[in-house]
Amino acid sequence: MDIEDPSLRLVGGAAEPPRIRRLEESVVNRIAAGEVIQRPSSAVKELIENSLDAGASTVSVTVKDGGLKLIQVSDDGHGIRFEDLPILCERHTTSKLSAYEDLQTIKSMGFRGEALASMTYVGHVTVTTITEGQLHGYRASYKDGVMENEPKPCAAVKGTQIMVENLFYNMVARRKTLQNSNDDYPKIVDFISRFAVHHINVNFSCRKHGANRADVHSASTTSRLDAIRNVYGASVVRDLMEIEVSDEDGADAVFKMNGYISNANYVAKKITMILFINDRLVDCTTLKRAIEFVYSATLPQASKPFIYMSIDLPSEHVDVNIHPTKKEVSLLNQERIIEIIKNIIEEKLRSSNTTRIFQTQAVNSALTQANTQKEKAEVKMASGIKSQKIPVSQMVRTDPRNPSGRLHTYWHGQSSNLEKKSDLVSVRNVVRSRRNPKDAGDLSSRHELLVEIESHCHPGLLEVVKNCSYVGMADEVFALVQHSTRLYLVNVVNVSKELMYQQVLCRFGNFNAIQLSEPAPLRELLLMALKDDEMVEENDAEKLEIAEVNSEILKENAEMINEYFSIHIDEDGNLIRLPVVLDQYTPDMDCLPEFVLSLGNDVIWDDEKECFRTTAAAIGNFYALHPPILPNPSGSSIQLYRKNNDGMPSGEHVDDTEDDIDHELVVEAETAWSQREWTIQHVLFPSMRLFLKPPKSMATDGTFVQVASLEKLYKIFERC
């Protein structure tokens, strides 16, 4: 049976043209929404830009199943007015402009009023917001551009939280193409990383739903290089050059550009180009190709550069309304601008390309490997330049990661089994992957403490810390490090205490947790500490009273120290969790009683700033790398492990026999000391290079002591 197609009718033997129909508004909106919100990362980008337009200083993103199940963006911006909530998600409602002419001078990243509306047509949107001065916030749900119910009063923190659930639930084909949840999450992380590099005064975090650790966690800073280091790592920053150009004399184009580009030593398989034009994250294929062409003459084949670039142009020279997702813009005199940038990059690379650093393959020999592994050879690239031989008195090890020259390299037969069991590279990568998180730190007192750390930082010691090479342990407290042609003794206890203190303030309110195997009663811990404290001379009844008072103080402040420092104390007065101050490091639990006593006695609870300072100091002291309680069994100290050494006259010679030594205790002590030295070399010093900002007091209190200078030693040898 034939079915007649009503759209095709014969008129005089010819087919009649199909009839044009007006689409329903819901169909139009859904089609437009699919163009604006192309994938979950598009929604995240739009929401982050809204947060930045709202003046937020903290933006937190939580994602589930690559954004298909949940996207949650929270900020501490100015919030949304209650009276604006009914029209918040209607198409073309915006606070950014009121007339088309406003586009000529637009400063905000959003302006069309389409993003939130589009999300409601392809997902379920819930908005929670509070403005300054309100006693409570409001929560409203939206679907198809319309508020479903009246806004409900609710508890809320400053700013706005937007949740988008079940994205593309009504677009079967789109959802199938995005079924693999791992596809879009890296794009979301990449977007947030780029925003974090440019907006250095904003704290960004991004994590998967249910995850304890954030995949992006950037802290606000005053330095662009610090921001890049926090997000992309120190290895990237090491090979960056600052670039700056302005063209204010031209009549046709007035622009400024600043940023950082990688030098010839940077090696990567994929180009990283972060481009902001008038603070707007965009792509520019033409500029990207021009830069790649310049680098192709410098970098080895298949190696790509790292580019961060911020371009400022008059608003009237930028057309921001040429792409549905605003990922591209059109520039006035674009070819001329690209040519200027290309020339300045080419000139910068040419002037910095006189030296190249290559990795040489290590020879597989025990002694030779200790001296030549990962040796770096500098090759002069400029023609006509003769390589100048470096004086012997100035030859130093240039790579802090090079194990050549460390003391333990020459102690054959005494290396710890810890190094055989652990992969050094993986541990260092984990240490470098955590970059000074800062999420809950919108407290002025905490900010003041961080400013104090910055202002008291000693620039000379900072240079030593960032570029020193670990040599080995000189004794139980001091380690030897080399910087340039100088050798220093470093007090490990003082350095680790200061590092832990600074890390507590940097990770403030956003710690991972160490779960104790069994709850530890505060009262018993305090009694143990008082029993061992020689300064406390009270009788047992008075010690019990002190323990009760301190236990009550800690229970009263349990909520605060749990929220800010991740020290969890339950209602029964049991210690449940401790914070992770430094990745891959757990403090000595033998010192836990003294730590609890210090929290009760030394913390000033009445003043917020002093409370944070003293609590951080107590935690820093607990986590510092103090020598183990058991004496080091090496050398003559082995006598301390004799089973019957009571009453042994001082200086009396006693023959060492196997039966007289408590071998179990010796093994325990050797393990503790080996573990400490391994932690100092592979955890403390890499973290110190990344995070420590040494205070000026360390230059005079014996924490850093210069013990030798290569140039002076050669002068002495020349006289002999």
Side-chain angles (χ1 to χ4, degrees):
M1 182 176 66
D2 294 333
I3 299 176
E4 182 183 0
D5 187 349
S7 65
L8 296 175
R9 295 178 181 175
L10 293 177
V11 180
E16 183 182 352
R19 186 178 178 182
I20 297 176
R21 300 179 181 86
R22 179 180 287 107
L23 293 177
E24 295 182 6
E25 187 177 355
S26 60
V27 177
V28 174
N29 289 331
R30 189 176 297 180
I31 293 173
E35 192 176 28
V36 175
I37 308 299
Q38 297 176 353
R39 51 195 312 126
S41 57
S42 305
V44 172
K45 179 176 179 288
E46 295 285 355
L47 293 174
I48 290 177
E49 289 178 343
N50 283 347
S51 297
L52 295 173
D53 285 340
S57 61
T58 299
V59 180
S60 303
V61 180
T62 303
V63 177
K64 185 176 182 181
D65 288 352
L68 293 177
K69 285 288 184 67
L70 171 70
I71 295 173
Q72 178 178 296
V73 177
S74 306
D75 65 61
D76 60 352
H78 52 57
I80 303 168
R81 297 173 184 269
F82 171 75
E83 53 269 24
D84 292 337
L85 289 175
I87 64 169
L88 174 66
C89 293
E90 292 184 7
R91 289 194 72 197
H92 307 306
T93 56
T94 179
S95 62
K96 314 298 172 54
L97 77 166
S98 57
Y100 181 78
E101 290 73 22
D102 295 341
L103 275 177
Q104 303 299 319
T105 57
I106 194 74
K107 297 291 186 182
S108 61
M109 282 171 275
F111 53 86
R112 293 197 193 108
E114 285 187 317
L116 281 177
S118 298
M119 293 177 205
T120 64
Y121 284 101
V122 294
H124 302 120
V125 177
T126 304
V127 178
T128 305
T129 186
I130 185 173
T131 58
E132 187 175 357
Q134 285 185 330
L135 298 178
H136 56 77
Y138 291 94
R139 180 177 292 120
S141 299
Y142 298 85
K143 184 179 180 182
D144 295 338
V146 179
M147 187 170 64
E148 294 185 295
N149 299 298
E150 287 294 318
K152 296 179 180 179
C154 64
V157 295
K158 177 189 176 186
T160 303
Q161 180 189 86
I162 298 180
M163 286 196 305
V164 183
E165 299 173 286
N166 299 321
L167 195 62
F168 304 125
Y169 73 97
N170 53 359
M171 302 177 70
V172 179
R174 181 76 60 89
R175 194 172 182 89
K176 283 183 178 179
T177 61
L178 298 169
Q179 202 62 45
N180 187 354
S181 61
N182 293 325
D183 285 347
D184 231 49
Y185 186 70
K187 292 183 175 64
I188 293 172
V189 170
D190 181 59
F191 271 131
I192 297 173
S193 299
R194 291 166 184 260
F195 279 115
V197 168
H198 184 71
H199 297 277
I200 60 176
N201 58 337
V202 180
N203 309 313
F204 289 92
S205 70
C206 177
R207 71 180 72 230
K208 291 184 178 179
H209 183 264
N212 293 326
R213 177 178 299 176
D215 294 291
V216 178
H217 214 141
S218 69
S220 64
T221 178
T222 56
S223 168
R224 185 83 59 198
L225 281 178
D226 285 344
I228 298 174
R229 182 183 293 109
N230 289 341
V231 176
Y232 291 97
S235 60
V236 174
V237 174
R238 183 169 56 242
D239 295 324
L240 293 185
M241 306 179 293
E242 188 173 7
I243 185 171
E244 190 172 356
V245 62
S246 62
D247 183 32
E248 299 181 357
D249 298 330
D252 297 328
V254 179
F255 82 99
K256 294 181 180 179
M257 185 276 288
N258 63 81
Y260 290 90
I261 61 173
S262 56
N263 59 26
N265 296 317
Y266 179 80
V267 178
K269 295 181 180 179
K270 183 179 179 182
I271 184 173
T272 301
M273 182 166 179
I274 305 171
L275 175 62
F276 281 81
I277 298 179
N278 288 1
D279 293 328
R280 185 185 302 276
L281 178 62
V282 296
D283 292 335
C284 183
T285 305
T286 309
L287 177 60
K288 184 177 179 180
R289 288 175 180 170
I291 293 175
E292 284 188 306
F293 178 78
V294 173
Y295 272 95
S296 63
T298 304
L299 295 181
Q301 190 175 7
S303 185
K304 302 297 182 181
F306 179 97
I307 308 291
Y308 162 74
M309 200 172 291
S310 176
I311 300 176
D312 290 325
L313 286 161
S315 300
E316 58 271 18
H317 289 184
V318 183
D319 187 356
V320 298
N321 192 28
I322 67 168
H323 195 276
T325 62
K326 297 169 289 187
K327 67 179 291 187
E328 295 179 3
V329 295
S330 177
L331 308 180
L332 185 66
N333 297 311
Q334 178 170 300
E335 294 79 8
R336 181 170 179 237
I337 292 174
I338 291 176
E339 187 65 24
I340 293 173
I341 294 175
K342 175 185 172 183
N343 291 339
I344 196 70
I345 292 178
E346 190 172 8
E347 181 183 343
K348 190 78 173 179
L349 284 174
R350 191 185 302 116
S351 63
S352 66
N353 200 26
T354 56
T355 61
R356 287 286 297 277
I357 299 176
F358 299 95
Q359 294 289 108
T360 61
Q361 185 175 1
V363 180
N364 188 16
S365 172
L367 184 59
T368 308
Q369 182 181 11
N371 294 290
T372 65
Q373 187 181 19
K374 294 184 181 178
E375 179 181 351
K376 292 188 175 180
E378 292 195 0
V379 181
K380 294 291 178 179
M381 300 296 293
S383 60
I385 300 179
K386 296 181 179 180
S387 63
Q388 297 179 355
K389 186 176 180 181
I390 301 176
V392 179
S393 63
Q394 297 178 10
M395 293 178 64
V396 296
R397 186 167 57 251
T398 58
D399 185 1
R401 297 168 295 180
N402 188 353
S404 173
R406 292 179 186 157
L407 294 181
H408 72 273
T409 305
Y410 306 97
W411 295 343
H412 300 292
Q414 298 183 12
S415 61
S416 171
N417 291 330
L418 291 169
E419 296 210 15
K420 298 178 183 179
K421 296 179 181 179
S422 177
D423 184 355
L424 171 60
V425 175
S426 64
V427 172
R428 282 183 174 168
N429 287 339
V430 170
V431 172
R432 286 180 169 84
S433 67
R434 190 66 175 263
R435 305 287 173 193
N436 290 351
K438 176 182 175 184
D439 185 23
D442 192 26
L443 296 171
S444 59
S445 52
R446 180 252 189 172
H447 178 70
E448 290 172 5
L449 292 174
L450 290 175
V451 170
E452 286 182 10
I453 293 174
E454 292 279 355
S455 61
H456 293 162
C457 180
H458 191 291
L461 288 183
L462 182 62
E463 170 64 22
V464 172
V465 166
K466 295 294 183 186
N467 300 290
C468 68
S469 304
Y470 176 82
V471 177
M473 293 299 296
D475 60 16
E476 297 177 355
V477 175
F478 286 93
L480 282 168
V481 300
Q482 178 183 336
H483 174 259
S484 185
T485 57
R486 293 174 174 80
L487 192 66
Y488 293 87
L489 279 174
V490 179
N491 189 312
V492 172
V493 177
N494 291 354
V495 165
S496 60
K497 188 183 299 184
E498 181 64 25
L499 174 64
M500 302 300 178
Y501 168 78
Q502 294 180 12
Q503 281 292 285
V504 169
L505 293 177
C506 287
R507 298 189 178 194
F508 187 87
N510 208 346
F511 293 92
N512 289 335
I514 302 172
Q515 185 78 28
L516 300 186
S517 57
E518 294 181 2
L522 292 178
R523 183 171 171 274
E524 294 183 12
L525 291 173
L526 289 165
L527 286 174
M528 291 172 61
L530 291 169
K531 181 179 179 181
D532 296 337
D533 193 346
E534 298 178 355
M535 302 297 294
V536 180
E537 300 178 355
E538 287 83 353
N539 55 39
D540 291 342
E542 291 174 335
K543 290 181 179 179
L544 182 62
E545 183 179 355
I546 294 174
E548 292 288 352
V549 170
N550 281 282
S551 179
E552 289 301 319
I553 291 174
L554 293 177
K555 284 195 288 185
E556 288 174 4
N557 295 277
E559 183 178 357
M560 184 273 293
I561 59 177
N562 181 38
E563 179 181 359
Y564 294 149
F565 302 102
S566 193
I567 301 174
H568 180 56
I569 299 172
D570 64 15
E571 297 178 353
D572 299 325
N574 296 318
L575 183 62
I576 306 297
R577 288 194 300 269
L578 291 171
V580 175
V581 176
L582 207 62
D583 294 325
Q584 300 296 311
Y585 173 65
T586 303
D588 185 359
M589 290 302 170
D590 288 339
C591 301
L592 184 59
E594 288 75 13
F595 169 59
V596 175
L597 181 62
S598 177
L599 282 180
N601 277 345
D602 301 337
V603 174
I604 301 172
W605 304 100
D606 299 333
D607 181 80
E608 183 181 82
K609 180 178 178 181
E610 288 304 312
C611 175
F612 293 163
R613 185 201 302 274
T614 52
T615 304
I619 296 173
N621 185 57
F622 172 45
Y623 280 72
L625 284 156
H626 297 281
I629 295 176
L630 293 173
N632 193 337
S634 61
S636 60
S637 298
I638 192 68
Q639 297 293 339
L640 300 173
Y641 291 90
R642 300 180 64 84
K643 295 180 180 178
N644 299 310
N645 61 350
D646 295 337
M648 185 175 63
S650 176
E652 182 179 344
H653 177 73
V654 179
D655 293 334
D656 293 335
T657 62
E658 293 293 329
D659 295 337
D660 290 338
I661 304 298
D662 190 337
H663 293 286
E664 291 185 3
L665 199 58
V666 169
V667 169
E668 181 181 349
E670 288 178 343
T671 302
W673 282 92
S674 298
Q675 176 69 51
R676 178 175 182 260
E677 183 172 352
W678 185 93
T679 303
I680 290 171
Q681 178 178 345
H682 299 307
V683 178
L684 175 63
F685 272 87
S687 300
M688 183 183 79
R689 294 188 194 104
L690 291 173
F691 305 129
L692 180 65
K693 296 177 180 176
K696 296 174 182 176
S697 59
M698 284 189 173
T700 56
D701 64 1
T703 301
F704 286 83
V705 179
Q706 180 181 326
V707 294
S709 171
L710 199 59
E711 296 95 335
K712 294 181 179 179
L713 287 176
Y714 267 83
K715 288 180 180 179
I716 294 173
F717 293 150
E718 287 170 358
R719 295 194 191 105
C720 298

